[in-house]
Amino acid sequence: MQRKRASGSWMGLAGRSPREQVWRVLAILFVLFVLPVLIGAVLFTSSAPLADARPTPTPLQVGAGRAAIEQLQASRQRPGGVSLLTLTPTHLDGLSALATHGFRPDRLNLYLHEERLHVAASHALPLGRWLNVGLVVSAPSNGFPEVEARIGAVSLPAYPTRLLLEGLRQLLRLRGAVIPPLDTVVQRFSIRNGAVMAAVQLPPKTGLLDQFTGGDAIDGAQVLDRYCALVALQARDPQSDFAIQVRRAFPPGQAATAETNRAGFVALAMLVVDPRAGQLAGLEPSATRRCPSPATAITLHVRDDLPKHWALSAALAAQAGVQFSSAMGEWKELADSLSAASAFQTGTASGFSFVDLAADRSGFQIARAAGDPRRAQDVAQRLATATQERLLPPALLQNDEGLSDAAFAARYGSVQDPRYKRLVAEIDRTLARDGLLAQPD
């Protein structure tokens, strides 16, 4: 009893009416718990984004961003080796445009100013708030460069920022990402001749994409088993028809879940596109050596490019989500519309193709439906009886192809233009009416 009286006296409740005691308790709870949250919201979040809004990427931005990503990919394919990155302002602008488009409504701006690399990132929060992070990276340096940060209204000098980044690295490692020490990731950093120069050592697989796309983890062991089963079937009975490969990836009578369907799409992309697509499920390239992919060309409507578009878009949607997969399909076609003379045209200038885009949209729409637990079994059964006509209705083969950047701009403006959007909406209506997800008559 004495202990209770002491507690009541400490809280200022002794001798007060029940109503006064309730209000006093609420006031104490507000000071201890609610007020710190409100102060944190004011200090660390904002009512407006720091990074600028960006229009849909232009073909040049897509090409430059893709060239920058290819530099990063090349460095990841040299395990234990150090690669030199050279990122010009055009590369940085391209990366910013792709990130802002692919992860919208979040935003990213990368730019050089006064011999420093500036990073502005804005993450959308509920209730119209934004988490804004600004970084200023100084040069030159041996090892990880000096970085100053600003989070909301709070500024951090270099040393606390490094401690914060190290803490973030450890947190990501606990969540499954493979992030080496900071001074191993960046071993030299400088800005010369208006470009960022960095010596980096990146692991082949970090798992970092999974942290930011919000995609569901895919069982790598299940993907590998299904891929090897597809390879074995193709070795025994080579088939070039993409619809047959889809039916093999989703055999009839098999119990299907959203998880098994996602694994099936990645295994199919490994067979049709490249075994390295298994990295979407965390598979190292060496894991597929026991199941070498046959060399048989796989076609859809007598074309070997359409299965690749369909399968990769489906696999990306299974791992990273529909928005990211859709954006990548548009980026690919925009990059293809670049002139062959462009410094950022890394492949054949085949032009913008609405037929390829239709294959992309068919793949990711079906993967989205198959990843819905409520529809997983039904969609898997439809895939088990897939035909070429259902995977990509023949009417969509009549759409424009081979459009140069200038021709695309003259006819459709941009991917935000109403003319472009009308055609994409018509593609989607055709898929809904005649595609694999069409409702039976």
Side-chain angles (χ1 to χ4, degrees), residues 133-217:
V133 177
L135 303 176
V136 179
V137 186
S138 300
S141 70
N142 289 318
F144 195 82
E146 183 177 280
V147 181
E148 298 175 358
R150 184 178 181 87
I151 305 173
V154 178
S155 296
L156 297 175
Y159 183 69
T161 298
R162 184 181 177 98
L163 293 179
L164 179 64
L165 292 175
E166 179 61 28
L168 178 61
R169 183 182 79 87
Q170 295 294 344
L171 177 61
L172 290 172
R173 289 187 64 195
L174 291 175
R175 295 183 59 181
V178 181
I179 312 294
L182 298 178
D183 289 326
T184 300
V185 174
V186 180
Q187 300 183 14
R188 290 193 307 276
F189 183 92
S190 63
I191 297 175
R192 296 202 305 268
N193 300 322
V196 172
M197 312 286 287
V200 300
Q201 180 178 331
L202 299 178
K205 171 68 177 176
T206 65
L208 203 54
L209 180 64
D210 303 343
Q211 308 288 344
F212 293 103
T213 59
D216 294 301

Side-chain angles (χ1 to χ4, degrees), residues 274-294:
D274 192 297
R276 288 175 294 180
Q279 292 180 14
L280 291 170
L283 292 176
E284 299 293 343
S286 59
T288 62
R289 288 175 185 165
R290 64 183 176 92
C291 305
S293 182

Side-chain angles (χ1 to χ4, degrees), residues 290-315:
R290 64 183 176 92
C291 305
S293 182
T296 306
I298 297 172
T299 62
L300 176 60
H301 297 304
V302 202
R303 289 175 50 165
D304 62 2
D305 61 327
L306 296 180
K308 293 179 172 64
H309 280 274
W310 196 103
L312 185 57
S313 290

Side-chain angles (χ1 to χ4, degrees), residues 26-373:
L26 290 176
I28 292 172
L29 292 175
F30 177 84
V31 171
L32 291 178
F33 300 103
V34 179
L35 189 59
V37 172
L38 293 176
I39 293 174
V42 171
L43 288 177
F44 295 106
T45 72
S46 307
S47 59
L50 173 66
D52 296 332
R54 284 175 166 268
T56 302
T58 65
L60 178 61
Q61 287 174 323
V62 172
R66 189 170 69 172
I69 292 170
E70 287 176 351
Q71 288 190 52
L72 293 169
Q73 289 175 332
S75 68
R76 289 176 57 186
Q77 292 167 6
R78 297 180 57 192
V82 178
S83 297
L84 182 63
L85 303 182
T86 302
L87 301 177
T88 68
T90 306
H91 286 117
L92 297 176
D93 182 62
L95 284 172
S96 302
L98 295 188
T100 300
H101 185 231
F103 297 105
R104 57 191 185 277
D106 296 343
R107 304 175 180 184
L108 177 68
N109 284 340
L110 304 168
Y111 60 95
L112 295 176
H113 179 64
E114 295 181 348
E115 296 299 309
R116 290 183 171 189
L117 172 63
H118 292 255
V119 181
S122 298
H123 173 63
L125 299 172
L127 304 177
R129 304 295 292 180
W130 291 83
L131 174 62
N132 291 320
V133 177
L135 303 176
V136 179
V137 186
S138 300
S141 70
N142 289 318
F144 195 82
E146 183 177 280
V147 181
E148 298 175 358
R150 184 178 181 87
I151 305 173
V154 178
S155 296
L156 297 175
Y159 183 69
T161 298
R162 184 181 177 98
L163 293 179
L164 179 64
L165 292 175
E166 179 61 28
L168 178 61
R169 183 182 79 87
Q170 295 294 344
L171 177 61
L172 290 172
R173 289 187 64 195
L174 291 175
R175 295 183 59 181
V178 181
I179 312 294
L182 298 178
D183 289 326
T184 300
V185 174
V186 180
Q187 300 183 14
R188 290 193 307 276
F189 183 92
S190 63
I191 297 175
R192 296 202 305 268
N193 300 322
V196 172
M197 312 286 287
V200 300
Q201 180 178 331
L202 299 178
K205 171 68 177 176
T206 65
L208 203 54
L209 180 64
D210 303 343
Q211 308 288 344
F212 293 103
T213 59
D216 294 301
I218 300 177
D219 186 343
Q222 183 179 163
V223 169
L224 184 59
D225 288 344
R226 296 183 72 159
Y227 166 69
C228 289
L230 290 174
V231 168
L233 282 170
Q234 186 70 344
R236 290 198 303 268
D237 180 20
Q239 294 288 338
S240 61
D241 187 341
F242 179 57
I244 292 177
Q245 303 301 335
V246 172
R247 295 197 294 269
R248 287 175 172 179
F250 297 89
Q254 178 176 276
T257 64
E259 291 72 23
T260 61
N261 286 344
R262 284 194 284 267
F265 287 120
V266 176
L268 182 63
M270 292 173 67
L271 178 76
V272 174
V273 183
D274 192 297
R276 288 175 294 180
Q279 292 180 14
L280 291 170
L283 292 176
E284 299 293 343
S286 59
T288 62
R289 288 175 185 165
R290 64 183 176 92
C291 305
S293 182
T296 306
I298 297 172
T299 62
L300 176 60
H301 297 304
V302 202
R303 289 175 50 165
D304 62 2
D305 61 327
L306 296 180
K308 293 179 172 64
H309 280 274
W310 196 103
L312 185 57
S313 290
L316 284 167
Q319 195 279 337
V322 171
Q323 175 174 294
F324 196 74
S325 174
S326 174
M328 288 197 70
E330 291 182 338
W331 300 343
K332 170 64 169 65
E333 297 311 316
L334 288 169
D336 283 349
S337 73
L338 280 173
S339 165
S342 171
F344 297 109
Q345 176 55 265
T346 58
T348 303
S350 57
F352 194 106
S353 168
F354 281 97
V355 179
D356 291 350
L357 190 68
D360 292 331
R361 297 188 73 81
S362 177
F364 75 67
Q365 288 176 12
I366 291 171
R368 173 178 59 187
D372 183 344

